[in-house]
Amino acid sequence: MSLFTWLRPSAAPQLHPLARQRLARLPKPAALGVCTLREQRWVVLDLETSGLNTHRDQVLSMGAVAIEDGALDFAQQFERTLHRPEQKTNASVLIHGLGPDALAAGCDPAEALLDLLEFIGDSPVLAFHAPFDQRMLARALKQSLGHRLQVPFMDVAEIAPMLNPDTVLREAGLDDWVARFGLQVQERHHASADAQVTAELALILFSQARRQQLDSPLQLEQRLRGWRRRTTHTHGI
């Protein structure tokens, strides 16, 4: 392969007409609004990937749950393992347990990603360390569907320390915040299970936010922006 071939953008994937129709029917993403946190439907997302390199690694499975009317809605759950037969076994298998057999039996990536987009709808997405999930999902959507990710993401890993400035955690991982609030976790490092525990954590944080006069997605995002600026300035000194 020549350097020029490598640099040339990859061709858009050839989609089945039904897939194109499904993409066309997707609702336009809505900006974070002034409805209350309780009134907003949220989708909490977790991805299991082949590694942590957002330019090289792949999404292997996706799990999501919905928060609606201020509660975790168990009738709205999503889980897909993607068909990745070419994926080699590596150290990540020891964490998420997705071996060759599970990946060979997985769903067509384009179909699974369309299912996820329809599940999300026009809802904002919550994730723990959201920038990673956002970049991985955006890359998967571009590769499999030629689609640009537009839904807003909010990072639970930022919301938690912002609302709990007196809590000092060295690593500040999901397990640390789960322990901090005494949540009971039956299973971890499985996309749907991690999405559920992240949702439970988010509900605690939303309750804290309301007590701090933050009761809309827009207010929460505006406070986060200010918190990021202050944190970046403090760490840069």
Side-chain angles (χ1 to χ4, degrees), residues 198-218:
T198 302
E200 292 172 0
L201 174 60
L203 288 171
I204 293 173
L205 296 173
F206 286 165
S207 179
Q208 290 184 324
R210 284 189 288 270
R211 292 197 296 271
Q212 296 181 31
Q213 286 73 55
L214 300 171
D215 196 21
S216 77
L218 182 59

Side-chain angles (χ1 to χ4, degrees), residues 75-93:
Q76 300 186 62
Q77 299 190 62
F78 178 93
E79 183 174 7
R80 297 288 188 279
T81 296
L82 276 59
H83 182 63
R84 301 291 197 195
E86 75 286 353
Q87 177 60 44
K88 305 297 183 183
T89 300
N90 59 25
S92 66
V93 174

Side-chain angles (χ1 to χ4, degrees), residues 39-201:
E39 290 169 337
Q40 176 67 64
R41 177 185 185 265
W42 304 84
V43 169
V44 187
L45 176 69
D46 185 80
L47 305 178
E48 297 296 341
T49 65
S50 60
L52 300 178
N53 188 313
T54 56
H55 300 289
R56 184 183 65 238
D57 287 309
Q58 297 189 100
V59 175
L60 303 182
S61 71
M62 308 178 294
V65 296
I67 293 175
E68 195 150 20
D69 295 326
L72 184 57
D73 186 349
F74 289 101
Q76 300 186 62
Q77 299 190 62
F78 178 93
E79 183 174 7
R80 297 288 188 279
T81 296
L82 276 59
H83 182 63
R84 301 291 197 195
E86 75 286 353
Q87 177 60 44
K88 305 297 183 183
T89 300
N90 59 25
S92 66
V93 174
L94 299 176
I95 299 174
H96 52 59
L98 293 170
D101 290 345
L103 297 174
C107 302
D108 173 70
E111 185 80 13
L113 288 162
L114 274 168
D115 291 344
L116 177 64
L117 290 175
E118 290 170 343
F119 181 82
I120 293 173
D122 62 355
S123 300
V125 174
L126 292 166
F128 199 91
H129 293 148
F132 174 79
D133 294 78
Q134 189 173 11
R135 286 193 289 268
M136 292 296 294
L137 180 58
R139 181 164 160 264
L141 288 170
K142 183 178 180 181
Q143 288 180 335
S144 294
L145 294 171
H147 180 75
R148 184 167 66 90
L149 180 64
Q150 300 178 66
V151 295
F153 274 64
M154 294 186 73
D155 192 358
V156 177
E158 289 185 329
I159 298 172
M162 181 190 74
L163 296 177
N164 295 272
D166 296 331
T167 297
V168 179
L169 296 172
R170 179 170 296 181
E171 297 297 331
L174 180 57
D175 288 331
D176 297 295
W177 288 106
V178 164
R180 161 69 176 78
F181 291 112
L183 293 172
Q184 300 299 312
V185 179
Q186 302 299 321
E187 187 179 4
R188 279 280 280 113
H189 302 301
H190 185 278
S192 58
D194 285 357
Q196 182 173 326
V197 72
T198 302
E200 292 172 0
L201 174 60

Side-chain angles (χ1 to χ4, degrees), residues 30-42 124 126 152 154 159 206 209 214-225:
L32 295 173
V34 295
C35 65
T36 67
L37 296 175
R38 183 182 181 88
E39 290 169 337
Q40 176 67 64
R41 177 185 185 265
W42 304 84
L126 292 166
M154 294 186 73
I159 298 172
F206 286 165
L214 300 171
D215 196 21
S216 77
L218 182 59
Q219 286 179 323
L220 193 58
E221 173 60 23
Q222 289 173 338
R223 180 71 66 84
L224 271 172
R225 290 176 188 169

